[in-house]
Amino acid sequence: MSESLFPTRWANDKPPSLEKFTSDFADDYACAEYLAKKRWKSGFRCPRCGGNRAWRLEARPWVWECQGVLVDDNGARTTTGCRHQTSLIAGTVMHGTHLPLRIWFLAA
Ligand SMILES: [Zn+2]
């Protein structure tokens, strides 16, 4: 069992480029990771279907898209077909801005 609790779309691939990744993304990614762990202490849980598998959008790491799959403790999979997207910053002061997440963390 090496599956990450918080997988990403590029888990098995290289990020677009190391330079881009470190310059515009690493901090937002880290902030989003923090928000995700705060919200889902034991892993992603879809608010619509209860699924516990999701992708994080590459361009917006604070948005999680449900994979429509619920895997129970015995490893049995239930497919829900859900593609609900959950924004970790919806309803917060960060929502609707174009500022990088890290600006808000610095200001907090
Ligand atoms: Zn779902």
Side-chain angles (χ1 to χ4, degrees):
M1 259 314 261
S2 62
E3 188 180 3
S4 167
L5 201 57
F6 298 101
T8 70
R9 278 193 190 280
W10 60 88
N12 300 308
D13 288 306
K14 292 177 186 170
S17 83
L18 187 60
E19 189 180 359
K20 182 166 176 25
F21 187 81
T22 54
S23 66
D24 8 305
F25 200 66
D27 289 346
D28 278 357
Y29 183 90
C31 294
E33 185 86 2
Y34 171 81
L35 290 172
K37 285 179 174 167
K38 208 172 148 193
R39 176 153 177 167
W40 295 303
K41 290 183 174 60
S42 56
F44 174 83
R45 179 68 63 171
C46 176
R48 180 171 291 176
C49 73
N52 54 7
R53 289 292 182 277
W55 299 110
R56 183 165 12 192
L57 300 187
E58 185 170 337
R60 289 176 295 153
W62 53 90
V63 176
W64 293 71
E65 182 180 285
C66 180
Q67 288 185 32
V69 177
L70 171 61
V71 182
D72 70 17
D73 292 341
N74 299 318
R77 298 169 70 91
T78 303
T79 302
T80 67
C82 176
R83 284 291 179 274
H84 183 68
Q85 294 189 349
T86 302
S87 170
L88 288 170
I89 61 175
T92 74
V93 68
M94 293 181 276
H95 187 58
T97 77
H98 296 291
L99 285 176
L101 283 182
R102 60 181 172 277
I103 300 298
W104 292 105
F105 274 79
L106 285 172

